Amino acid sequence: EPMTIIGQTPEPDSSGLVGTPRIATTMSELKAAQAGVAISEARLKLVSADIFPTLSAFGGYSYGKPNQDRFNNTWNDYWTIGASLGWSFNIGGRSSLRRKASRYELISAQSEYDRVTEQVKREARLAAEQVRLMYDKYQTAREEYDLASEQFRMARDRHANGDLSSNRLTDIETALTAAQSAKAASRADYWMARALWYYATGSTRLQEGF
């Protein structure tokens, strides 16, 4: 069936495929893992704070006529300063156990972050390799199309001179059509692979378009 190409995408290229792919820190997977580490760190600090005593201070100032003197007409003022010290006893080692559990949760969250980071990098490398593969495939299809075009041009000239039969010209034209279809398909495969690469690296190019 004939292929109808809507619009025109840029020519495939190998830009950005050299070296290690750059991973955007705004990827949802990385942000979720980072949030897990931050929550575990905050929980550990909160549990650790229960081990130490709590010291609070307060102060105040009062001014007025609580007891009016009808003759001297005096005013009274005074300062109030104090402190409060609280300390929860670690009965049965509950605070130590909670602190140890929170530390293990932090280690687990950090391990999960490292795992997610490595997985994202591995998927980005695989996506980049797929783009390289599709780029090479497109280059081969383009060369085959150029060769088929040249063969058809020469066959058409020979047919016009009576040196080539119509059936043979039709076969060469069919091969040219197949080469053209293969080139268009490989071009589409390349840009699909590139879109997956943008997604794997968290690139904003995926929203900007090609």
Side-chain angles (χ1 to χ4, degrees):
E1 297 181 0
M3 297 184 62
T4 302
I5 301 177
I6 301 177
Q8 187 69 21
T9 57
E11 186 72 12
D13 59 79
S14 58
S15 61
L17 299 177
V18 180
T20 304
R22 296 181 59 183
I23 308 298
T25 57
T26 56
M27 290 188 64
S28 57
E29 294 89 341
L30 294 178
K31 292 179 66 176
Q34 290 173 348
V37 174
I39 292 174
S40 299
E41 289 177 345
R43 184 179 292 114
L44 177 59
K45 291 180 180 179
L46 182 62
V47 173
S48 299
D50 293 339
I51 300 178
F52 303 99
T54 302
L55 177 64
S56 59
F58 60 89
Y61 176 73
S62 177
Y63 182 76
K65 289 185 176 182
N67 298 309
Q68 294 186 0
D69 188 342
R70 299 180 180 274
F71 300 99
N72 297 323
N73 194 24
T74 58
W75 289 72
N76 297 327
D77 67 315
Y78 60 91
W79 287 90
T80 302
I81 300 175
S84 175
L85 178 63
W87 200 341
S88 298
F89 292 99
N90 185 17
I91 301 176
R94 288 179 300 179
S95 298
S96 298
L97 292 176
R98 286 197 299 267
R99 189 167 184 267
K100 184 180 296 183
S102 298
R103 187 183 299 110
Y104 288 148
E105 289 179 0
L106 176 58
I107 295 174
S108 177
Q110 291 172 340
S111 299
E112 176 65 13
Y113 174 76
D114 294 338
R115 185 194 67 80
V116 171
T117 301
E118 181 58 31
Q119 179 180 354
V120 168
K121 291 181 178 179
R122 181 171 61 253
E123 292 177 353
R125 289 193 297 267
L126 291 175
E129 288 297 330
Q130 187 67 14
V131 175
R132 295 188 186 97
L133 178 61
M134 292 299 103
Y135 178 75
D136 294 339
K137 180 180 177 181
Y138 172 77
Q139 293 297 324
T140 301
R142 188 178 64 175
E143 292 175 359
E144 292 178 351
Y145 170 75
D146 293 340
L147 179 60
S149 298
E150 182 62 20
Q151 290 178 347
F152 178 71
R153 185 190 65 79
M154 295 174 60
R156 188 171 52 186
D157 293 340
R158 292 179 58 191
H159 180 267
N161 295 330
D163 299 331
L164 190 68
S165 65
S166 298
N167 290 338
R168 180 55 181 163
L169 179 63
T170 301
D171 293 340
I172 296 176
E173 185 177 8
T174 301
L176 174 61
T177 302
Q180 183 181 16
S181 299
K183 178 185 176 183
S186 63
R187 186 190 189 103
D189 291 341
Y190 169 83
W191 285 111
M192 289 179 61
R194 189 139 189 142
L196 292 176
W197 178 54
Y198 287 150
Y199 178 80
T201 56
S203 174
T204 57
R205 292 287 301 276
L206 192 61
Q207 291 79 25
E208 296 172 359
F210 306 121

